[in-house]
Amino acid sequence: LSGAMTSLTLRVSDLAGEWDRTGLIPLELLRELGAEGRLCAEVPEQYGGWGLSSLHSGAYTAHVGGLCSSLRSVMTSQGMAAWTVQRLGTAEQAADLLPRLTGGALAAVGFSEPGAGSDLAAMATTVRRDGDTVVVDGHKKWVTAAHYADLLVVVGRQEDGAVAVVVPTGTPGVRIERIADPLGCRAAGHADVHLDGVRLPADSVLGGHGLPTALLVTTALAYGRMSVAWGCVGILRACLAAATAHATVREQFGRPLAEHQLVAGHIADLYTAEQVATRVCEHASRCWDEGSPDQVVATVLAKHVSATQAARGAATAVQVLASAGSRDGHTVARAYRDAKLMEIIEGSSELCRLMLARHALSAPG
Ligand code: FAD
């Protein structure tokens, strides 16, 4: 794994700032990384993945998150698509789709709609059966990586519940509309997806039948939450590294910034944030790897803690660097914008707090 991290560092090198400014990661690079199984590294080896445990995948995701949150976001989408296929698809669907996802095809996952953000039970996208086909109609919003994607995993309603359907982006009736100038993760390829009478073979529906909306959504989002949580650990590590390096070298009032106690306090806060986020993520990943019943709540906790720590920690890092970090493309400036979005996606901080409160209130003792 450390070899894989080093090789990725060399390939991203200092390009993340440029990708952030141009709003694009080169498509060839994404395909190359995808074809090496790097974008969904938990997929079992039999399907061309690396078969990483959640803990190892987390370490890798944090590494990518520290280099470039846009790339990590693309990776989260790909991993979430693969996870959804693994969890909900039939053996035939897994055998067909997973090797494509580890072979260079890029994927994105669409839940959110104009009327269904936090409240996914309000989804209006329909997946109607019609003989041996299904017809998809709807509008998905803010789909990360949709601009790059070959395949979309779209969540909608069928007669018997919620379904996830795999939609090739080249299918007639699919229109992908790029979101201009997002606040952060600017090269993650966010787009709105319009689906108008999109006709697909009936076996495009994962598992072939509907599930309760909450069950389907929780299953798919669980992977995304872990990935975002570990990505936030990476953001914190990058911020800590930038802040300590700057505070050691930059002098004001005749001594390094780090020797001014209020600045040292910022460094201590950043270190604490990084450590706290790392520990909650490690705990959650161990729950995944051990199949613990605490997995669901540990995942929500990891996502919530890491995202809030990253948003606060990135602001602290900008404060330490001050004007030196206050330009587009700089590590801490990117982190500041990227981290804020982590408090919104995969279950906002408010939704996470509601889930954690529900858990605390229902837990015995
Ligand atoms: P709203 O639901 O309108 O919420 C607005 C505010 O009200 C939030 O602070 C929210 O927490 C709060 N709120 C809402 N309901 C409650 C409540 N009951 N109690 C307390 N507070 C509440 N979607 C996808 O499907 N796929 C993707 O890949 C994807 N990627 C994204 C990437 C980015 C960068 C962003 C910004 C969004 C992405 N989304 C994606 C959409 C994302 O999932 C939604 O933005 C998110 O679920 C929140 O929905 P909303 O923006 O409509 O906010």
Side-chain angles (χ1 to χ4, degrees):
L1 198 56
S2 66
M5 290 186 194
T6 310
S7 104
L8 196 70
T9 307
L10 293 173
R11 282 151 89 178
V12 173
S13 124
D14 54 358
L15 294 170
E18 186 186 322
W19 297 341
D20 186 59
R21 282 190 299 272
T22 59
L24 279 176
I25 302 173
L27 186 58
E28 321 78 69
L29 176 66
L30 291 177
R31 288 209 186 287
E32 252 174 64
L33 297 175
E36 293 164 16
R38 286 172 188 266
L39 298 180
C40 48
E42 284 177 53
V43 170
E45 285 167 321
Q46 71 183 105
Y47 300 117
W50 293 1
L52 293 189
S53 66
S54 178
L55 204 54
H56 285 132
S57 171
Y60 185 63
T61 305
H63 181 72
V64 180
L67 293 172
C68 175
S69 282
S70 289
L71 178 57
R72 198 276 309 145
S73 299
V74 171
M75 193 171 138
T76 298
S77 295
Q78 184 89 357
M80 194 159 48
W83 173 250
T84 308
V85 169
Q86 255 176 273
R87 294 293 295 182
L88 304 182
T90 61
E92 292 73 29
Q93 287 170 326
D96 171 35
L97 292 165
L98 294 177
R100 286 158 73 185
L101 295 179
T102 57
L106 300 170
V109 183
F111 299 95
S112 310
E113 299 182 1
S118 302
D119 179 14
L120 288 175
M123 273 184 304
T125 295
T126 55
V127 183
R128 183 173 51 81
R129 289 196 184 91
D130 185 16
D132 55 3
T133 64
V134 288
V135 181
V136 187
D137 282 285
H139 175 186
K140 294 294 177 184
K141 280 193 71 177
W142 272 96
V143 181
T144 301
H147 173 71
Y148 303 116
D150 305 292
L151 297 172
L152 301 167
V153 175
V154 171
V155 179
R157 324 196 141 278
Q158 216 172 41
E159 299 77 13
D160 56 354
V163 290
V165 58
V166 179
V167 181
T169 49
T171 314
V174 178
R175 186 164 59 86
I176 297 187
E177 190 187 354
R178 183 111 189 262
I179 293 175
D181 306 322
L183 170 67
C185 299
R186 287 181 176 164
H190 305 115
D192 283 3
V193 176
H194 302 267
L195 303 144
D196 296 312
V198 179
R199 190 174 290 275
L200 299 158
D203 65 3
S204 307
V205 174
L206 294 176
H209 58 82
L211 291 170
T213 307
L215 178 63
L216 189 149
V217 165
T218 307
T219 302
L221 281 183
Y223 183 97
R225 287 182 178 145
M226 281 309 299
S227 183
V228 165
W230 278 110
C232 288
V233 169
I235 290 176
L236 284 163
R237 289 180 185 164
C239 286
L240 180 61
T244 51
H246 184 74
T248 310
V249 170
R250 165 85 172 158
E251 293 193 2
Q252 283 296 277
F253 301 97
R255 48 195 172 126
L257 292 176
E259 289 181 19
H260 297 287
Q261 286 187 344
L262 292 180
V263 178
H266 286 321
I267 302 289
D269 290 347
L270 258 172
Y271 175 71
T272 306
E274 185 274 328
Q275 286 291 303
V276 167
T278 301
R279 300 302 157 238
V280 288
C281 285
E282 284 173 352
H283 170 67
S285 276
R286 286 201 184 93
C287 287
W288 277 65
D289 291 337
E290 291 162 8
S292 158
D294 295 337
Q295 180 178 328
V296 173
V297 68
T299 301
V300 174
L301 185 67
K303 193 274 168 183
H304 178 48
V305 170
S306 298
T308 48
Q309 294 290 348
R312 202 180 309 148
T316 301
V318 174
Q319 194 68 23
V320 171
L321 273 90
S323 61
S326 300
R327 4 171 218 102
D328 258 6
H330 189 286
T331 302
V332 297
R334 269 193 293 123
Y336 183 67
R337 290 184 283 99
D338 296 344
K340 181 60 211 168
L341 296 180
M342 300 305 112
E343 293 192 301
I344 295 171
I345 60 169
E346 314 288 357
S348 65
S349 295
E350 288 78 7
L351 271 276
C352 287
R353 290 173 72 200
L354 289 175
M355 287 185 266
L356 293 170
R358 213 174 298 133
H359 172 77
L361 290 165
S362 68

